[in-house]
Amino acid sequence: MSLLLVDVDHSYGRRTSLSGVCMQVEPGDCYGFIGHNGAGKTTTMRIALGLDRPTKGRVYVDGFAIDEHPLEARARMGGMIEVTGFHTWASGRENLVELGRLQGLSGRDARREAARCLELVGLAARGGSAVKTYSQGMRQRLGLAQALLGSPRYVLLDEPQNGLDPEGIAELREVLRRLTRGEGLTVVLSSHQLHELTGLCNRIGVLRQGQLLLEAETEELLATARGRYEIETVGGDAREVLESLGVRTVDRGLIEIGDVEPEHVVRSVVEAGVDVRLFAPRPTTLEEVYLGLSGGVSSKSPVRSAAAPNPGRPDTRIAPRSPTMRMARHELRRNGRRVASALLIAVPAFLAWQRIAALAQDHAVRLEEVKSGALFSTSTVTAFEALGRGLASALPAVAVVTVAVGSQSISGELAAGTLRNVLLRPLRRHHVVLGKAWALLVAVLVAYGAALASAWLAARSYFEFGDRFEVTRSGEPELWIESVDVWPLVPDLLWAPILPLFALSLFGFVAGAAVRRPVWSLSVALFSLLVLDLLRGVARSADVGAWLPTSYLPSPFGGGSSPVDYFVEVSIGSADAWFAYEDTLVAAPLALVAVGVGLGVWLLSRLRVP
């Protein structure tokens, strides 16, 4: 079993970033991946981790092709690519616990694993602090910790020393040495600081201009020029003596003695009257190997497999189940921990209560005016009417909240840099979209449920679910509409807004995936919501109003014809109450939901997550 890249090509438009890369990392290897900035190291690692797709070629992890079995491949790998993003309002430990649970660990195991990884990277003392208080070096350590979650078989680290001070670099080297040599972890480590890989990596691959020019055991690579010695003399010039021995001078103070015995070289120089201050072996360095290869890439042949690469038979399946629901629970926990979420949900509920309280006050005033003779008659207000009017005030706010939450689902994570951490777990991109869609549905249910509960309680507090009467100053109240005619409409009133609200939240989700910047995606989503509401009249006249989700919700500007408006009209006894889209009340919003999910999957599948 191994991590295997077979003839991998990758292009950005017309620019080729990788060309025919063949690389095999065996279990237990610490594989050093060296190359200049822009050589293609990061792209190679992103492809190996499944973040980018190769233009050509395949990647195998323990025999599983990553394009066919991405969950199994990702279940075996951890990665840290460039700067790792985290939710800065949460602690380092909380971030790791959530990623561990997303990876398939139970809550207890995730907490235990987070503590282990924090200890490994030297952050145990600061694990409870908010990430926003971390230095760049501490965030880099936390990025290494998330890559080690769950003890993956292969860990790919792209420039992990970035942001670390010399002490931190030394500690990182010690951690990696302990994990590879003591625990058998397989590590692929990229760097352009070649001296950092010496003594740590047992294998080296040299990448230049998208081609893997060399791949070899480190010991063999550094022993390519045997018999190299550094010599320093005083009191004379040893060049003539060295030339007479057949010793070649490579550079000032650097010689290659070939098959000549070192003792014979030193004795000959001393006997010539030249004092020798220093004579010591000088092995080849990685810098020299790299610079020797970089002299002309066009003259070098990239590493190719001598025989057809054999990825081996797939290993035992270890990927956790239910990826969509893992993603949904992760999203709900992420949003549920923020105070802003509770405040947003509370706004529609407050508006519903306020509207009903104002209705009760106005009703009391009108009754007093009838008693005093200032008003001839007035109709009583029932809890049915109050419930409908409360929802009519709250639902536009619920729509704004759900659209706003949906717009930040992708764009917010892109801005924080956390979406990459999500995609490194055993999930496919459509699982991410479906999980976020489930979470949005729950957000809709919670926001709408809070508004409905507030409206119902307020209606029961101020009024009764009874008959409606006309009250005059000159006689007995006259029955206007009986409650038995209104109760059958209540179930439809309660569930009718759910699918349109869900469709609007997915509309916000699509806006966030398309625009990608949080502020812009929020602006686009809210502006589009306003436009959709204003288009009701035009869409109705053109017979396409059924395909506007706003057609099934009350308008904040009044004059709408939604199920809620219809319920209010019936509850007050209006003879011309009607709802134009009763036949499409389920089918049209459900179709809009399906379109929203499909667009979300398509957009995320095409999105390059930085």
Side-chain angles (χ1 to χ4, degrees), residues 32-41 159 191-195 197-198 204-215 221-222 224 228 284-297 299-300:
F33 203 35
I34 63 177
H36 60 88
N37 288 332
K41 304 187 300 298
E159 305 279 3
S191 179
H192 63 277
Q193 302 293 332
L194 308 186
H195 64 277
L197 304 184
T198 306
I204 295 293
V206 179
L207 192 72
R208 184 168 179 83
Q209 295 181 11
Q211 295 183 348
L212 191 65
L213 299 183
L214 181 145
E215 188 179 43
L221 192 61
L222 299 183
T224 53
R228 296 204 332 163
T284 305
T285 64
L286 288 180
E287 286 85 348
E288 291 169 335
V289 171
Y290 178 72
L291 292 174
L293 286 172
S294 65
V297 69
S299 63
K300 307 293 182 182

Side-chain angles (χ1 to χ4, degrees), residues 110 164 169 344 447 573:
L164 296 180
I169 293 174
L344 285 174

Side-chain angles (χ1 to χ4, degrees), residues 462-500:
Y462 292 106
F463 305 101
E464 294 182 359
F465 286 101
D467 301 333
R468 180 182 175 89
F469 296 92
E470 183 73 14
V471 179
T472 66
R473 63 187 180 187
S474 58
E476 291 294 324
E478 179 183 350
L479 180 63
W480 192 259
I481 184 169
E482 295 184 90
S483 62
V484 293
D485 295 328
V486 184
W487 273 116
L489 301 178
V490 172
D492 287 344
L493 170 73
L494 300 184
W495 66 260
I498 294 175
L499 281 177

Side-chain angles (χ1 to χ4, degrees), residues 533 536 554-561 565:
D533 191 76
R536 290 180 190 227
S555 172
F557 306 108
S561 178
D565 298 311

